[in-house]
Amino acid sequence: MSALADKADSPLKKKPPSWSDIWLKNTKSLKHVVFTMPLQSLSPKDPKSQTLIPTFANIDRTLLLSDELLLQILSKLPHLQRNPNSLVCKRWLNLQGRLIRSLKILDWDFLESGRLFTRFPNLTHVDLLNGCLLSPRDSGILLTHRLVSMQMGSGFCSNRKFLEEDLLPVEVVDKGLQALANGCPNLRRLVVINASELGLLTVAEECLTLQELELHKCNDNVLRGIAACENLQIVKLVANVDGLYSSSVTDIGLTILAQGCKRLVRLELSGCEGSFDGIKAIGQCCLMLEELTICDHKMDDGWLAGLSYCENLKTLKLLSCKRIDRSPGRDEYLGFCPALERLHLQKCQLRSKKSVRALFRVCEAVREIVIQDSWGLDNDMFRFASVCRRVKLLSLEGCSLLTTEGLEAVILSWQDLENLVVVSCKNINESGISAALATLFSILKELRWRPDVKSLLASSLGGTGMGKKGGRFFKRT
């Protein structure tokens, strides 16, 4: 028996302790663990208070709306509120990008990387002009022109062409145009500079709905590319800009344009060369042309006679032209535009009597004449406008050489005149108004008479008693 007892007490036969024994015997070491545990309520929870959505006020209720329905709601909001709406969440940011149709590209990498089409998949109007410029973003020098605004570095020279050396290479621009054509097949308006014929051909093949094109720094070879855009209706060609860049568009380019884009409705030629043949080709081929704008032209003498071939032309604008036509030719070769309704002259130099006389001869069927800030328009020059017998509206602004007698001699011969605007013409004064001119003023439908600052001041101070030699505030002593 003693042997069995010794075997039972031996360490080989001893039962190992369980986890429950250790927990009950050694409670001191676990007290700090138990008391640091958060105490939870032992009371049963209300099953009615347990729902799948804990707090309805904290969720995004727009998640219940489909993308199509939310797009319709966002499209009804004002345009000024669209940018703040895109900051709400990523979904609204992506949906807001679908509503954007027009965009001006400032970063060329944004186009080449493809992020442009992911962010704005429905673009129809794209302006690449500023994106093609290599300008420092952190410069405080800003160069502003009526065509472009760009930042310049501090090391530029006054005798250099600013944009000539700060443009992306032609190959890079063509590569960007290819990416744009593939990503925006519904493109309708495009503004680009320093592109080649191949880049524009890609756009013409992929973007069949392209209707408006503004092309800067173009030449005759580049115009072969836009001739493939059969649906173009609005074209602006900028060939040469003094101080910025230089290029050349001649009669060859104008003929290529006319034969390829026969649906043109509006055409603007800025800094282009050419002559009678180029304007004639446009008039013969573009039968739907209604508006022609010529800005700072470099055309040869005799080009005015080509306007008579534009039989459906309704609006003719001459902007910033240093000369009109030095040698327009004989009157019998000039012809006229039978459907012309509006003639606009702005910042032009009207110093040649031959050119001014020929211009009004070609535009003798016009109904509206607007002349703004044009130098050289005196009484003799304005007298040539009397050949236009159907004028209903005359607007003169900044014509400082024209006098009251010269104005009266012309407008009294216009039997159909209904609207007259005279602003900032300092030699036209109220003291020279005759009884016949006053009678004409009384039957006009619209009259804006502000020829100088004095007349404007007198009309604004009427009835106040001021302006009468200081009679109210100053007395002789």
Side-chain angles (χ1 to χ4, degrees):
M1 294 295 293
S2 61
L4 294 173
D6 295 336
K7 292 180 180 180
D9 296 336
S10 64
L12 298 176
K13 299 295 183 178
K14 188 178 292 185
K15 185 178 179 181
S18 61
W19 285 105
S20 61
D21 296 335
I22 298 174
W23 178 267
L24 296 174
K25 291 180 180 180
N26 301 323
T27 57
K28 293 183 179 180
S29 60
L30 298 175
K31 284 183 180 180
H32 68 283
V33 179
V34 176
F35 286 106
T36 55
M37 295 175 63
L39 299 177
Q40 297 183 1
S41 175
L42 299 178
S43 60
K45 296 181 179 181
D46 186 7
K48 295 182 179 180
S49 63
Q50 298 181 359
T51 59
L52 297 177
I53 304 177
T55 307
F56 188 74
N58 295 333
I59 70 167
D60 186 4
R61 304 184 186 182
T62 60
L63 294 176
L64 304 177
L65 302 176
S66 62
D67 290 349
E68 291 74 14
L69 184 58
L70 188 56
L71 271 176
Q72 294 182 7
I73 296 175
L74 294 177
S75 63
K76 303 297 182 181
L77 297 177
H79 290 277
L80 297 177
Q81 195 174 348
R82 290 186 177 182
N83 289 335
N85 289 338
S86 62
L87 303 177
V88 174
C89 60
K90 289 185 176 181
R91 185 193 180 200
W92 283 39
L93 178 65
N94 296 330
L95 292 178
Q96 191 66 37
R98 298 187 192 179
L99 298 176
I100 301 299
R101 297 292 186 268
S102 178
L103 192 67
K104 180 181 292 187
I105 305 298
L106 302 179
D107 186 3
W108 193 258
D109 294 334
F110 188 59
L111 170 62
E112 285 190 336
S113 63
R115 292 176 294 165
L116 172 66
F117 318 114
T118 304
R119 177 72 176 84
F120 307 102
N122 299 323
L123 288 177
T124 58
H125 297 65
V126 178
D127 187 349
L128 302 177
L129 182 59
N130 291 89
C132 297
L133 304 178
L134 298 174
S135 59
R137 302 297 180 186
D138 55 349
S139 175
I141 303 175
L142 182 64
L143 172 65
T144 302
H145 191 266
R146 60 182 179 85
L147 298 176
V148 64
S149 295
M150 62 177 296
Q151 292 177 330
M152 301 295 299
S154 58
F156 68 90
C157 301
S158 59
N159 57 352
R160 65 187 285 264
K161 298 283 186 180
F162 288 103
L163 299 188
E164 196 79 32
E165 303 175 5
D166 298 327
L167 292 173
L168 291 176
V170 177
E171 297 78 10
V172 178
V173 177
D174 290 343
K175 184 179 179 181
L177 288 178
Q178 184 177 2
L180 181 65
N182 295 330
C184 300
N186 297 323
L187 193 65
R188 294 187 178 182
R189 183 179 185 271
L190 175 63
V191 181
V192 66
I193 185 174
N194 204 30
S196 70
E197 175 187 356
L198 297 178
L200 294 176
L201 281 175
T202 305
V203 176
E205 293 174 356
E206 300 295 335
C207 305
L208 301 179
T209 59
L210 186 64
Q211 298 180 354
E212 185 173 353
L213 178 63
E214 184 174 334
L215 189 59
H216 294 253
K217 202 178 183 300
C218 58
N219 51 47
D220 295 339
N221 294 328
V222 175
L223 294 181
R224 296 177 181 177
I226 68 173
C229 304
E230 298 180 353
N231 295 321
L232 276 180
Q233 298 182 4
I234 302 175
V235 172
K236 179 178 180 180
L237 302 180
V238 184
N240 181 77
V241 179
D242 295 336
L244 295 183
Y245 55 81
S246 60
S247 187
S248 177
V249 173
T250 64
D251 287 335
I252 298 176
L254 296 180
T255 304
I256 294 174
L257 173 68
Q259 293 178 354
C261 305
K262 297 184 178 181
R263 297 184 179 181
L264 282 182
V265 178
R266 189 186 308 167
L267 176 62
E268 180 173 348
L269 304 176
S270 180
C272 296
E273 301 175 10
S275 63
F276 168 81
D277 295 330
I279 302 299
K280 177 183 177 181
I282 293 175
Q284 290 179 337
C285 298
C286 304
L287 300 179
M288 302 172 60
L289 186 64
E290 295 183 356
E291 181 175 329
L292 177 61
T293 302
I294 299 178
C295 179
D296 191 19
H297 72 84
K298 307 292 188 298
M299 296 187 182
D300 297 336
D301 298 339
W303 70 272
L304 268 178
L307 294 175
S308 60
Y309 291 90
C310 303
E311 297 181 355
N312 296 319
L313 188 65
K314 295 182 179 180
T315 302
L316 176 62
K317 295 182 179 181
L318 300 180
L319 309 178
S320 303
C321 295
K322 299 180 180 63
R323 55 183 175 84
I324 304 299
D325 192 343
R326 295 175 181 173
S327 180
R330 290 180 156 186
D331 293 346
E332 54 266 24
Y333 299 119
L334 282 176
F336 69 99
C337 301
L340 192 64
E341 297 180 357
R342 290 173 290 273
L343 173 62
H344 289 208
L345 301 176
Q346 184 175 356
K347 296 182 179 179
C348 296
Q349 296 188 16
L350 308 177
R351 303 183 185 277
S352 174
K353 292 184 178 181
K354 290 183 179 180
S355 61
V356 175
R357 180 176 179 274
L359 176 63
F360 285 117
R361 280 283 182 182
V362 174
C363 304
E364 63 180 23
V366 73
R367 297 177 181 269
E368 298 179 8
I369 298 179
V370 178
I371 304 177
Q372 295 179 341
D373 301 325
S374 295
W375 298 274
L377 186 68
D378 54 10
N379 294 345
D380 295 334
M381 294 291 185
F382 188 65
R383 189 175 294 112
F384 294 125
S386 60
V387 71
C388 306
R389 300 290 184 180
R390 303 167 61 183
V391 176
K392 292 186 176 182
L393 183 146
L394 174 64
S395 177
L396 300 175
E397 183 175 351
C399 302
S400 58
L401 299 180
L402 187 63
T403 64
T404 309
E405 292 77 11
L407 175 67
E408 179 180 0
V410 176
I411 64 175
L412 288 180
S413 63
W414 292 344
Q415 302 297 327
D416 298 332
L417 186 64
E418 298 177 352
N419 303 277
L420 178 62
V421 177
V422 179
V423 177
S424 301
C425 301
K426 62 180 182 180
N427 283 330
I428 298 179
N429 49 60
E430 299 175 355
S431 60
I433 298 178
S434 63
L437 191 58
T439 304
L440 176 62
F441 287 172
S442 63
I443 61 176
L444 292 177
K445 291 183 178 180
E446 179 185 2
L447 175 62
R448 289 179 55 193
W449 185 261
R450 295 178 180 178
D452 54 8
V453 179
K454 294 181 179 179
S455 62
L456 175 62
L457 182 63
S459 61
S460 61
L461 298 179
T464 62
M466 298 179 62
K468 297 181 179 180
K469 297 182 180 181
R472 168 169 291 193
F473 297 102
F474 304 100
K475 295 182 180 180
R476 294 183 179 180
T477 56

